[in-house]
Amino acid sequence: IYGLGVSGLSCLNTLKKNNLIKYFDDNIKKTKYKKFKNFFISKKKIYRTKFDYIIISPGINILKCTLANFLKKNKSKICTDLDVFYSKYPKNFIIAITGTNGKSTTAKLLNDILTKSKYDSRLVGNIGNAILNETNIKKKTVFIVEISSYQISYSKIFKPNFGIILNISHDHLERHKTFSNYVKTKLKLIFSLNKNDYAFLNKTDPVFKNILKTKKLNSKIINVSNRLSNRDNNLIKNSYFNSLNNQQNLSFIIKICSILKVKKSIIFKVVNNFKPLNYRQEIIHDTKRLMIINDSKSTSFSSSINLLNNFQRIYWILGGLPKKGDKLNLEHKNNISKIYLYGEYKSFFIKFFKNKYKYSKFLNLEDVIKQVRIDIKKIDKEQKINLIFSPCAASFDSFKNFEERGKYFNYLVSRYKIKNVR
């Protein structure tokens, strides 16, 4: 087992009873699992040992890691915790959800709906719950798996009954090198399906359209539109689903639920009571004067664009570590009043905004919030302001992850009393 994080640890606990297991971690000095010291193997011994399988944590880049040469020679043996799970429970119903944006929200909402419909539904995968940590699994247990391109890439035998690809746009090119490689990795999920399975995707998306012309899927294909029907739209009472991103997510859920024969009354009851996951287009304040949205999860332009298109008088905060190959194709629009750029990579963003928008540069996020407080005071109080924190970049320049970044933004909003500005 390479990498003793959440998934690696779950594999060790699952397999240690009936298998000869060894583990290695690049940061072994930081590992706190002393009770597993008998399972540890040194790098020198790894090269002298013959392994049947190499279970790898998704976060490890096999081309840039301590065991890169070893993995290159043993690539055919690499698998994941999802493969371990599938070999153990091949008959359980699995719904796997992937896409560049919206995976977590879609997976969580679908799980809530199925639970409300009396399914024994389990939410696992990239959303944070290791699939092998689930207990009391029965024949009718349904698994909703949020699956990343990294997990898809390393998995060998894992296969869902429903394969969902919400969307694909430029992301993770630092790992996959090219957009074409990234697309092929995502599509691997649905090309693993058989004739009794279902693939859910938007067939009008050029990414899918071109590939499906040359390569045929074995499964049934369910085409999903980006927009809800007027009838379904009228049933929504939750403002969170006013954005195009979340309407797209909901379109997929409605199609999935129709195959599973879930009542629409249950779907929309859950939808209208759904509370967004933290830092994903999360409305943290909303009054007649000011709305504040924390969208720290936005790590690329594609994850922000629909949110930006949904509001007027936007004061937009962005910055961080730009994704390789990302482009901010933002046409000049009057709905963005001002842009606040922060961090070390400001120049990357400026080239897209120069001569188009009013913008200011700042050293860090705290300096941005200080200026926002000053600016809001000067604005006509009769008109509503939408303060949107949607960074369009990874958080690793200054933060451990997007959660830490989102939490810090909320702290700054509270510290400088932005909600109370009159």
Side-chain angles (χ1 to χ4, degrees):
I1 297 171
Y2 187 15
L4 207 62
V6 175
S7 64
L9 190 58
S10 69
C11 286
L12 195 152
N13 284 324
T14 300
L15 297 170
K16 65 182 181 180
K17 293 178 182 177
N18 301 312
N19 301 273
L20 180 58
I21 300 292
K22 294 293 178 183
Y23 85 84
F24 181 80
D25 194 290
D26 287 349
N27 297 315
I28 193 60
K29 290 181 180 179
K30 296 180 181 179
T31 302
K32 299 177 182 178
Y33 306 117
K34 292 182 179 180
K35 63 179 179 179
F36 300 121
K37 64 180 181 180
N38 292 334
F39 294 95
F40 175 75
I41 185 171
S42 67
K43 183 180 175 181
K44 287 183 179 179
K45 285 187 178 180
I46 286 173
Y47 280 89
R48 298 198 300 264
T49 307
K50 184 178 179 181
F51 296 94
D52 296 306
Y53 300 99
I54 304 166
I55 303 168
I56 190 167
S57 295
I60 294 172
N61 184 343
I62 62 173
L63 301 177
K64 295 180 180 180
C65 61
T66 304
L67 300 179
N69 292 332
F70 173 75
L71 296 176
K72 186 177 179 180
K73 293 176 182 178
N74 294 276
K75 196 173 180 180
S76 63
K77 296 179 180 180
I78 294 174
C79 58
T80 69
D81 61 327
L82 296 179
D83 295 316
V84 175
F85 170 82
Y86 190 76
S87 67
K88 193 173 181 182
Y89 302 104
K91 294 183 179 180
N92 279 84
F93 198 88
I94 299 171
I95 300 171
I97 299 172
T98 196
T100 305
N101 303 306
K103 298 185 292 295
S104 296
T105 296
T106 305
K108 176 66 166 63
L109 180 57
L110 181 59
N111 184 65
D112 289 354
I113 290 169
L114 294 189
T115 300
K116 187 74 174 177
S117 302
K118 307 301 181 185
Y119 279 85
D120 176 17
S121 181
R122 312 291 180 89
L123 181 60
V124 294
N126 198 47
I127 199 165
N129 306 319
I131 197 167
L132 289 172
N133 284 343
E134 292 296 319
T135 58
N136 196 26
I137 297 171
K138 302 170 185 175
K139 289 182 179 179
K140 290 187 177 182
T141 301
V142 174
F143 288 88
I144 298 173
V145 186
E146 182 194 328
I147 185 168
S148 69
S149 60
Y150 300 165
Q151 290 167 305
I152 296 170
S153 176
Y154 292 154
S155 293
K156 286 288 194 297
I157 64 170
F158 175 79
K159 182 195 76 65
N161 303 92
F162 285 9
I164 294 97
I165 304 181
L166 300 172
N167 47 63
I168 299 182
S169 56
H170 285 75
D171 203 357
H172 300 305
L173 300 192
E174 67 284 350
R175 173 76 76 91
H176 298 289
K177 304 301 180 187
T178 67
F179 182 59
S180 177
N181 288 342
Y182 177 56
V183 171
K184 287 176 183 176
T185 300
K186 288 287 190 184
L187 289 173
K188 180 183 169 187
L189 178 72
I190 59 174
F191 280 111
S192 70
L193 306 178
N194 61 38
K195 64 180 182 179
N196 296 318
D197 300 325
Y198 287 84
F200 296 78
L201 48 84
N202 181 354
K203 293 199 316 189
T204 63
D205 188 318
V207 172
F208 302 125
K209 203 171 182 181
N210 295 332
I211 290 176
L212 293 176
K213 279 181 181 178
T214 58
K215 195 171 180 181
K216 189 177 179 182
L217 280 171
N218 295 322
S219 63
K220 303 177 183 72
I221 302 176
I222 304 296
N223 184 42
V224 184
S225 171
N226 277 341
R227 295 190 177 274
L228 297 171
S229 67
N230 290 333
R231 186 177 178 183
D232 288 337
N233 213 12
N234 289 334
L235 295 172
I236 298 174
K237 309 299 179 188
N238 188 340
S239 60
Y240 181 65
F241 291 94
N242 290 340
S243 72
L244 183 56
N245 292 67
N246 290 323
Q247 290 216 347
Q248 290 173 350
N249 299 339
L250 187 52
S251 295
F252 276 87
I253 284 171
I254 289 171
K255 288 284 189 180
I256 294 165
C257 288
S258 68
I259 302 295
L260 296 175
K261 295 183 168 51
V262 175
K263 294 179 181 178
K264 275 204 173 181
S265 59
I266 293 176
I267 296 173
F268 284 96
K269 186 173 183 179
V270 174
V271 165
N272 289 326
N273 288 295
F274 183 73
K275 292 182 179 180
L277 295 167
N278 291 339
Y279 321 129
R280 295 166 172 88
Q281 299 186 16
E282 181 184 11
I283 299 171
I284 61 172
H285 178 74
D286 190 15
T287 61
K288 290 181 179 179
R289 168 92 167 108
L290 174 68
M291 176 183 281
I292 305 175
I293 297 177
N294 187 339
D295 189 31
S296 179
K297 181 63 170 70
S298 164
T299 57
S300 64
F301 180 63
S302 64
S303 59
S304 296
I305 183 61
N306 287 334
L307 177 64
L308 297 171
N309 287 337
N310 207 49
F311 295 95
Q312 297 297 317
R313 301 202 73 209
I314 294 172
Y315 287 72
W316 180 20
I317 303 170
L318 72 155
L321 182 64
K323 290 287 185 74
K324 182 181 177 182
D326 201 14
K327 293 181 180 179
L328 280 68
N329 299 317
L330 193 66
E331 297 178 6
H332 182 66
K333 294 180 180 180
N334 295 325
N335 67 328
I336 299 177
S337 301
K338 186 173 180 180
I339 294 172
Y340 301 85
L341 300 166
Y342 74 89
E344 184 182 345
Y345 299 92
K346 294 183 288 291
S347 58
F348 171 85
F349 300 101
I350 288 173
K351 62 187 177 184
F352 298 105
F353 301 137
K354 205 169 184 179
N355 303 322
K356 290 183 180 180
Y357 295 95
K358 183 181 177 182
Y359 66 87
S360 296
K361 300 180 290 181
F362 300 88
L363 183 65
N364 53 51
L365 191 53
E366 183 173 13
D367 289 346
V368 170
I369 298 301
K370 289 178 183 177
Q371 186 60 47
V372 165
R373 193 177 196 281
I374 294 169
D375 290 348
I376 289 177
K377 280 186 175 182
K378 297 177 182 177
I379 298 167
D380 181 358
K381 294 180 181 179
E382 298 301 315
Q383 294 182 313
K384 184 169 183 174
I385 303 160
N386 294 295
L387 179 63
I388 297 179
F389 177 50
S390 192
C392 284
S395 58
F396 308 126
D397 60 323
S398 305
F399 302 94
K400 181 181 176 182
N401 49 43
F402 78 87
E403 288 98 343
E404 185 179 84
R405 178 171 66 182
K407 187 176 181 180
Y408 184 61
F409 175 77
N410 285 354
Y411 161 74
L412 292 175
V413 167
S414 176
R415 179 182 175 183
Y416 290 99
K417 300 179 180 178
I418 302 299
K419 298 175 184 179
N420 302 325
V421 174
R422 294 288 183 268

